[in-house]
Amino acid sequence: MPIYSLWHDKRKFVVVLSLLLLCAFWLTSWLSYQVAHNSLSEQIETNHLPLTSDTIYSEIQRDLSRPIFISSLMAQDTFVRDWAIQDNETAEPIVRYLTAIQQRYQTVTAFFVSSKSSRYYHPDGIIKTLSKNNLDDAWFFRVSQLPPAQDYEINIDYDTADANRITVFVNYKVYDFDGKLIGVTGVGLNVESVKEMISLYQQRYQRSVYFIDATGNLALSDNNFQGPRNIHQREGLAEQVDLLLSSHNGRYHFMEQGKMHFLNARYIPEFDWYLMVEQEDAPATQQLQQTLILNLVISIAVTLGMLLVANFTLGRYQRRLETLASTDKLTGAFNRQSFEGQLEQVIDIQHRASSPCSLIIFDVDHFKHINDKFGHLVGDKALIKVTEIAEKNIRQSDIVCRWGGEEFVILLPNCDALAALEVAEKIRIAINNDQQTIDGHQVNLSISCGIAQIKTHEVLASLMINRADQAMYQAKQNGRNRSVVAD
C-alpha cells in the first residue's frame, strides 16, 4: 500500500476517533448536567422545601397559635360569661379584665362585644355600639353567623380603637352555659410585627414565605412581597391553583418569566390559610451551567473523558443493583431489609417535625388454604394482585413492603391513626370486593389489618411494628376481614 494511502487512512481514523471522543465527552457532560439539574430540582421540591415548610409551620404554631389559645381562654372564662349573661350596665369589671389580658399577654388589643347590647368593650372603655348599617362593624355580625362548628375566625382589619392601626384579629364566639351566643371576644396582633416575623423566616431559610386564604387571595406577607394579590394571576401556576386549594399539603413547580419556581403549600386549619414557601432555582442553575462549560473544556483530555464515561456507566449499574436489592422479586414492593432502613429514617423525620406517622400491617386471610387448594402459582398471582390494589389506594409518599410470606406492611408518613384506619379499610374493602379469576379459579381474597401510630417518645420502630402486629392478630381473633387500631 502506498505511504500516502497509509497516512490518509491513519489521519481519517484519528479524525473519526477524535470526533467520536469529542461527541462522547460532550454527551457525557450534557447528560451529567441534566442529571444534576434534575436531581437538584427533585431535592428542592421533595426534600429541602418540604422540610423548610415543616420547620416554619412548627414556628408558626408556636408564634401565631398563641393568640388563638388566649382568645379561647377568654371565651371559656366563667367571669366573662357570667358578666355577659347579667348584662351589667357597669363596664368597669370587663374593662379591667380586658386590660389585664392585654398587659399579661402583651397583645395590642383585647375586646368583648355583647350580642345583646352590641357594645364594643376595650381596655379604654366602651368604644362604640356596633350597627348592622356600618360596614366597619360587619365583622361582628359575620362572626355571629358562623356555623356552630366554627368557633372563631381570623381577619385583618383596622382596629376599632385605633383607626390608623391594622391588626390581625382573633374573633372568638362566647356562649352562655346553655349554648346560646352571647358575644364575641378576642385579641389582636400588630400586623407589622407579624410581617417582621415573616421577614425573619425568609432571611433565616432564604426562601419566600407568605400566606393565602382559601380563595387564593394574599392574606399576609412582608412589605417586600412583589407578586400579584391572588395566586390565580401567577404566571405558570394558574392551572394548578384548584388542585393547590383543594389539598392540605402539596408540592408544585412552575415556570415564571423563564425561571423555574418550586412551591410547597401547607394548609393551616387554625387560620384557614395556606402557608406558601417558595424558592427560585436560578442561582443553582447558573452554577450548574458554569460547571457544564468547565466540564466541556476539561473533556478535551481523553483520560478524564474516559473516566467520566466509566463513572456514568458504573453509576447506572449501581442504581440497578440497588433497585434489585431493595425490592421484592415477586410483587415489586419494598423488601423487608430496605423497608426497615426507610422506616427508621421516616420515624426520625416525623419526630423532628412533630408530625404523626402510622403503620398498617395486614395479612391475607386463609392464604395457606389458597395455596393448598389452587397451587402456589395461583397463590403468587394473588399476592401480586393484593400488592397492586394496596398501591392504588395509598399516596405517593406512602411505602408498601412485603414483610414476609402473605404479610405486608404500609408506612404512612404525616398520617395519624384515624386516617390510617381509613386507608386500611379502603384497601381491605377493595380487596374483598375484587372478584378474581386466576388461571381459571375463582379466588376470594380478604385481609386482616392492624394499625398503629408512633408515640411521641417512641424512637424504636420495632415497638410500633409490635403494636400493629398485635392489633392485626386481634383482628384475626375477632373473625378476620377487619381492621383494628392498636391501643
Side-chain angles (χ1 to χ4, degrees):
M1 182 178 292
I3 295 178
Y4 174 78
S5 179
L6 287 172
W7 168 248
H8 183 69
D9 291 342
K10 182 178 180 180
R11 187 173 61 179
K12 285 176 58 179
F13 174 78
V14 171
V15 170
V16 171
L17 181 60
S18 299
L19 290 175
L20 289 174
L21 289 175
L22 287 174
C23 291
F25 296 156
W26 179 86
L27 181 61
T28 303
S29 299
W30 177 251
L31 289 176
S32 298
Y33 167 77
Q34 291 293 330
V35 170
H37 182 269
N38 293 337
S39 176
L40 178 62
S41 300
E42 184 177 359
Q43 286 292 320
I44 293 173
E45 185 175 12
T46 64
N47 190 1
H48 299 161
L49 209 57
L51 285 177
T52 301
S53 179
D54 289 342
T55 304
I56 295 176
Y57 177 78
S58 299
E59 297 189 17
I60 288 170
Q61 291 288 88
R62 180 195 66 199
D63 297 333
L64 293 183
S65 294
R66 186 166 174 264
I68 299 178
F69 176 71
I70 297 170
S71 300
S72 174
L73 291 178
M74 295 170 65
Q76 300 297 324
D77 195 305
T78 304
F79 164 76
V80 175
R81 299 164 79 182
D82 285 339
W83 187 88
I85 292 172
Q86 294 172 6
D87 196 19
N88 199 323
E89 293 295 332
T90 304
E92 285 79 4
I94 193 67
V95 169
R96 285 198 303 268
Y97 174 83
L98 295 174
T99 302
I101 290 291
Q102 181 174 333
Q103 292 175 349
R104 179 176 180 179
Y105 297 107
Q106 297 299 305
T107 61
V108 297
T109 186
F111 64 92
F112 174 80
V113 180
S114 170
S115 295
K116 186 175 182 179
S117 65
S118 297
R119 290 175 180 171
Y120 188 107
Y121 296 93
H122 183 269
D124 294 335
I126 300 176
I127 300 299
K128 61 184 296 189
T129 298
L130 305 188
S131 170
K132 291 184 178 180
N133 299 324
N134 191 336
L135 293 178
D136 293 337
D137 302 335
W139 66 270
F140 171 72
F141 302 99
R142 181 180 68 249
V143 174
S144 300
Q145 297 175 2
L146 288 176
Q150 186 176 350
D151 291 327
Y152 68 92
E153 75 159 15
I154 297 176
N155 74 313
I156 302 174
D157 202 349
Y158 286 97
D159 194 338
T160 303
D162 185 353
N164 296 320
R165 182 174 62 200
I166 301 178
T167 304
V168 179
F169 286 99
V170 179
N171 305 316
Y172 218 106
K173 293 189 290 187
V174 182
Y175 296 94
D176 65 12
F177 300 99
D178 296 324
K180 179 182 177 182
L181 183 69
I182 56 176
V184 176
T185 190
V187 296
L189 292 176
N190 192 306
V191 166
E192 293 304 319
S193 298
V194 179
K195 289 182 177 180
E196 290 176 3
M197 183 173 60
I198 294 175
S199 297
L200 180 62
Y201 293 154
Q202 296 185 143
Q203 295 172 7
R204 183 181 302 166
Y205 301 105
Q206 296 299 306
R207 289 171 173 87
S208 178
V209 179
Y210 54 97
F211 297 89
I212 62 171
D213 62 20
T215 62
N217 290 317
L218 183 68
L220 201 58
S221 67
D222 72 341
N223 295 324
N224 297 322
F225 185 80
Q226 301 294 328
R229 311 308 293 179
N230 190 293
I231 61 170
H232 287 88
Q233 302 170 0
R234 288 293 298 272
E235 177 187 349
L237 184 60
E239 60 271 16
Q240 304 181 66
V241 170
D242 292 337
L243 176 61
L244 188 155
L245 296 177
S246 63
S247 303
H248 282 189
N249 200 350
R251 300 188 300 264
Y252 309 90
H253 60 268
F254 58 96
M255 294 294 296
E256 186 176 52
Q257 297 181 355
K259 297 179 181 179
M260 178 64 73
H261 290 253
F262 299 96
L263 176 66
N264 188 277
R266 180 163 186 167
Y267 180 65
I268 305 179
E270 294 89 347
F271 304 102
D272 195 24
W273 290 349
Y274 287 83
L275 167 64
M276 312 289 278
V277 181
E278 185 176 335
Q279 177 178 340
E280 178 185 316
D281 75 334
T285 301
Q286 184 178 4
Q287 185 178 0
L288 285 177
Q289 291 172 347
Q290 294 174 354
T291 304
L292 171 63
I293 296 173
L294 180 61
N295 284 339
L296 290 174
V297 173
I298 298 176
S299 293
I300 298 175
V302 176
T303 304
L304 181 58
M306 296 302 295
L307 180 61
L308 290 174
V309 173
N311 286 338
F312 179 76
T313 304
L314 290 174
R316 292 179 59 188
Y317 281 110
Q318 182 181 1
R319 288 191 294 272
R320 185 175 180 182
L321 289 173
E322 289 173 351
T323 301
L324 292 174
S326 62
T327 56
D328 176 60
K329 184 177 180 181
L330 175 64
T331 62
F334 277 83
N335 60 31
R336 182 166 182 168
Q337 180 180 0
S338 61
F339 177 81
E340 288 177 342
Q342 294 268 3
L343 178 59
E344 296 290 349
Q345 294 178 6
V346 170
I347 289 178
D348 181 61
I349 292 173
Q350 300 300 109
H351 272 309
R352 285 189 280 110
S354 298
S355 298
C357 179
S358 299
L359 196 74
I360 300 173
I361 294 182
F362 68 85
D363 188 275
V364 180
D365 296 329
H366 304 296
F367 186 73
K368 184 177 183 300
H369 175 72
I370 296 175
N371 278 337
D372 293 342
K373 184 175 181 180
F374 304 115
H376 288 278
L377 183 60
V378 172
D380 289 346
K381 292 182 179 180
L383 291 179
I384 294 173
K385 186 60 181 178
V386 167
T387 305
E388 292 174 352
I389 294 175
E391 290 178 342
K392 287 180 181 179
N393 289 278
I394 61 175
R395 302 167 300 177
Q396 188 176 1
S397 59
D398 301 335
I399 301 174
V400 178
C401 163
R402 186 184 179 192
W403 195 246
E406 68 273 18
E407 192 172 9
F408 293 81
V409 179
I410 303 177
L411 177 61
L412 301 100
N414 300 314
C415 182
D416 60 23
L418 292 179
L421 175 60
E422 293 180 2
V423 175
E425 281 296 280
K426 187 177 179 182
I427 296 172
R428 184 188 65 80
I429 293 172
I431 292 175
N432 195 44
N433 293 340
D434 190 67
Q435 302 296 324
Q436 283 295 310
T437 301
I438 302 176
D439 293 343
H441 303 289
Q442 182 70 30
V443 181
N444 297 321
L445 299 173
S446 68
I447 61 173
S448 300
C449 305
I451 299 99
Q453 178 179 338
I454 189 169
K455 297 180 179 179
T456 304
H457 302 292
E458 194 173 55
V459 296
L460 295 178
S462 59
L463 298 178
M464 182 169 64
I465 292 174
N466 289 337
R467 291 192 290 106
D469 196 57
Q470 291 172 7
M472 182 189 70
Y473 279 107
Q474 184 180 348
K476 286 183 173 294
Q477 292 173 357
N478 292 345
R480 292 185 170 85
N481 192 20
R482 65 194 64 231
S483 301
V484 173
V485 178
D487 293 337

